């Protein structure tokens, strides 16, 4: 998939080119053990994935070492030291940083890799060199160089995430902070939507984890999927607390247009706040091209003439990612589960299963890369969260028949 994504491929090229350039600088300063051999492993792991990090890291290590040692006073031992150190310490940082969400972990992995570089160079030197002092000095330079690699990665990673707008685990973790400006606005201006988004996030994260999708992306996407409701929050049922339903006195076509517009408004806010494309895609697709059935049927009852169904459909396409499909299903489940009164575990499971089957039959999952087994896992994950976390609330409060939007 990397080779079909120009943005990510460009990151690989830039990182490898930067590594080779800094290697030339180290060669000119005659400090080849400070060369950033570990840098591509670390940065590409935290911004892209393990596989491109190992491939690009190993290739840049080989080229850098040959480039730095050729035409200098360096010996074959230096070449061996740098090759083994780059490959082993780089692979070690890749393994340690895989699926780690804290930026501070880069420093920890850099410290471990520094110690590994020191031991590698010292061990090779003790087996091949007659000078203990020279071997020890090279080991210290190798340890220092690896530590500098970690600091360089920590400095460059936020810039790379921002410039290329990447949904890295650490960026997604930042976006799921409740103090994000859009989340603060939801809490203050549309508290019902905020509460709804939190519930969807819990359901989506558990479901994504169950099927092997990206749980952080699912949580972040759920947080922001309804931010378009900030434009007209009182037109959505969950925000009509202590007030009448505005739609009772509004033309159904206008009501449907307002409900549908929260997709467009959400995309505008997402672009304004530079949310990653993957989250924008979730916002655009979480309703697919489904029908706003309530207002469509209301229009059929009120109008004597024909009603254009296209005026009551969302303009999007069915979700094309696993995370987008998960959020669509969880959105449906969260809204519909309110209709159950004092449900048992089996009733919850059967009800969710029925909702998922309706989505399948309506073609809303036709683009999603989900198997039947994964749909079952999503059902079970949603049922577990709803029963385990919200069961007392379900038993103790009256239920709304439906939630518009």
């Amino acid at each position: 998939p990397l080779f079909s994504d120009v943005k990510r491929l460009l990151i690989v090229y830039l990182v490898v080119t930067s590594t080779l350039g800094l290697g030339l600088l180290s060669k000119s300063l005659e400090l080849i053990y400070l060369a950033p051999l570990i840098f591509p492993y670390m940065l590409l792991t935290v911004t892209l994935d393990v596989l491109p990090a190992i491939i690009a890291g190993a290739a840049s290590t080989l080229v850098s070492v040959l480039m730095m040692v050729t035409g200098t006073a360096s010996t074959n031992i230096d070449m061996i030291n740098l090759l083994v150190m780059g490959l082993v310490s780089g692979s070690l940082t890749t393994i340690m940083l895989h699926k780690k969400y804290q930026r501070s972990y880069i420093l920890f992995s850099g410290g471990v890799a520094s110690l590994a570089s020191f031991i590698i160079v010292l061990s090779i030197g003790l087996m091949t060199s007659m000078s203990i002092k020279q071997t020890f000095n090279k080991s210290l330079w190798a340890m220092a160089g690896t530590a500098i690699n970690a600091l360089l990665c920590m400095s460059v990673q936020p810039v790379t995430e921002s410039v290329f707008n990447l949904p890295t685990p650490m960026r997604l973790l930042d976006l799921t902070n409740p103090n994000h400006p859009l989340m603060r606005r939801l809490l203050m201006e549309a508290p019902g939507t905020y509460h709804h988004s939190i519930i969807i996030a819990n359901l989506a994260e558990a479901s994504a984890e169950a099927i092997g999708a990206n749980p952080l992306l699912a949580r972040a996407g759920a947080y922001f999927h309804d931010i378009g409701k900030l434009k007209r929050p009182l037109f959505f049922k969950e925000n009509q607390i202590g007030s009448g339903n505005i739609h009772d006195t509004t033309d159904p076509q206008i009501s449907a247009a307002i409900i549908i517009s929260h997709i467009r408004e959400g995309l505008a806010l997402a672009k304004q706040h530079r949310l990653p494309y993957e989250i924008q895609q979730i916002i655009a697709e979480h309703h697919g091209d489904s029908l706003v059935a309530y207002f469509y049927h209301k229009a059929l009852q009120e109008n004597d003439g024909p009603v254009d169904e296209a005026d009551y459909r969302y303009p999007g396409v069915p979700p094309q990612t696993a995370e987008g499909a998960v959020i669509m299903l969880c959105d449906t489940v969260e809204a519909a589960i309110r209709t159950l009164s004092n449900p048992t575990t089996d009733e919850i499971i059967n009800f969710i299963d029925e909702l998922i089957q309706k989505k399948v039959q309506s073609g809303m999952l036709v683009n999603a890369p989900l198997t039947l087994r994964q749909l079952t896992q999503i059902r079970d994950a949603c049922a577990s969260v709803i029963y385990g976390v919200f069961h007392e609330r379900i038993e103790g409060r009256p239920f709304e028949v439906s939630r518009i939007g």
Side-chain angles (χ1 to χ4, degrees), residues 31-69:
L31 295 172
I32 58 175
Y33 283 90
L34 291 183
L37 301 178
I38 317 299
F39 174 65
Y41 291 95
M42 301 183 78
L43 185 60
L44 293 178
T45 299
V46 297
T47 55
L48 299 182
D49 201 1
V50 170
L51 187 58
I54 291 178
I55 294 174
S60 61
T61 295
L62 178 61
V63 176
S64 294
V65 170
L66 293 174
M67 188 174 60
M68 289 187 296
V69 174

Side-chain angles (χ1 to χ4, degrees), residues 367-378:
N367 295 331
L370 297 176
T371 65
L372 293 175
R373 175 177 174 79
Q374 287 175 323
L375 291 177
T376 302
Q377 292 170 330
I378 291 171

Side-chain angles (χ1 to χ4, degrees), residues 88-108:
V88 174
S89 297
S91 300
L92 180 63
T93 57
T94 297
I95 295 170
M96 295 183 65
L97 289 174
H98 182 47
K99 293 186 177 180
K100 296 298 185 297
Y101 302 147
Q102 293 79 20
R103 296 187 192 276
S104 58
Y105 209 83
I106 295 176
L107 285 179
F108 175 72

Side-chain angles (χ1 to χ4, degrees), residues 82-369:
L82 292 170
L83 271 176
V84 176
M85 180 187 76
L87 294 174
V88 174
S89 297
S91 300
L92 180 63
T93 57
T94 297
I95 295 170
M96 295 183 65
L97 289 174
H98 182 47
K99 293 186 177 180
K100 296 298 185 297
Y101 302 147
Q102 293 79 20
R103 296 187 192 276
S104 58
Y105 209 83
I106 295 176
L107 285 179
F108 175 72
S109 63
V112 174
S114 297
L115 181 61
S117 297
F118 177 83
I119 294 173
I120 288 169
V121 176
L122 182 63
S123 301
I124 294 175
L126 291 176
M127 290 186 291
T128 59
S129 176
M130 300 297 293
S131 173
I132 300 296
K133 181 179 179 180
Q134 187 180 31
T135 297
F136 192 74
N137 286 338
K138 289 180 179 180
S139 302
L140 291 177
W141 280 113
M143 183 169 65
T146 306
I148 292 173
N149 278 224
L151 295 175
L152 183 62
C153 179
M154 279 202 71
S155 303
V156 174
Q157 182 203 356
V159 178
T160 306
E161 291 174 346
S162 178
V163 170
F164 291 95
N165 206 13
L166 296 173
T168 64
M170 297 177 190
R171 175 89 186 283
L172 291 173
L173 199 62
D174 291 340
L175 289 175
T176 55
N177 189 327
N179 289 320
H180 188 279
L182 285 174
M183 294 303 295
R184 296 286 296 175
R185 283 192 60 191
L186 273 179
L187 177 61
M188 301 304 296
E189 301 174 30
T193 300
Y194 175 84
H195 178 67
H196 161 71
S197 299
I198 296 298
I199 297 175
I200 299 301
N202 292 332
L203 293 170
E205 184 177 41
S207 300
E209 194 166 359
I211 65 173
N214 188 335
L216 268 181
L217 178 58
R219 172 168 284 276
Y223 275 178
F224 296 104
H225 80 287
D226 270 347
I227 54 174
K229 294 181 180 180
L230 283 169
K231 185 74 173 180
R232 303 176 186 86
L234 292 180
F235 279 86
F236 298 89
K237 183 66 177 177
E238 67 266 24
N239 297 313
Q240 296 171 356
I241 303 172
S243 62
N245 192 337
I246 298 177
H247 295 288
D248 292 340
T249 57
T250 306
D251 182 82
Q253 186 172 351
I254 295 176
S255 294
I258 292 173
I259 297 299
I260 290 170
S261 69
H262 86 274
I263 300 294
R264 182 180 65 253
E265 303 292 350
L267 283 173
L269 281 173
K271 291 175 182 176
Q272 178 184 340
H273 288 264
R274 296 197 75 246
L275 298 183
Y277 169 76
E278 287 76 5
I279 293 181
Q280 295 182 31
Q281 188 178 17
I282 288 172
I283 294 173
E285 297 176 354
H286 77 276
H287 281 299
D289 58 353
S290 60
L291 182 70
V292 186
Y294 177 83
F295 294 115
Y296 176 68
H297 293 301
K298 183 179 178 182
L300 289 176
Q301 294 173 359
E302 294 182 358
N303 296 335
D304 295 331
V307 176
D308 189 358
E309 187 178 298
D311 293 335
Y312 297 85
R313 282 195 177 276
Y314 286 96
V317 297
Q320 302 175 70
T321 63
E323 293 80 11
V326 163
I327 290 172
M328 169 184 275
L329 293 174
C330 293
D331 194 12
T332 303
V333 168
E334 193 276 338
I337 202 69
R338 299 168 183 267
T339 63
L340 296 181
S341 178
N342 195 24
T344 64
T345 305
D346 290 339
E347 288 174 340
I348 292 174
I349 291 175
N350 293 334
F351 191 65
I352 294 174
D353 193 46
E354 182 181 344
L355 293 172
I356 292 176
Q357 292 307 316
K358 286 182 179 178
K359 286 295 182 184
V360 172
Q361 293 165 8
S362 65
M364 288 296 105
L365 299 178
V366 67
N367 295 331

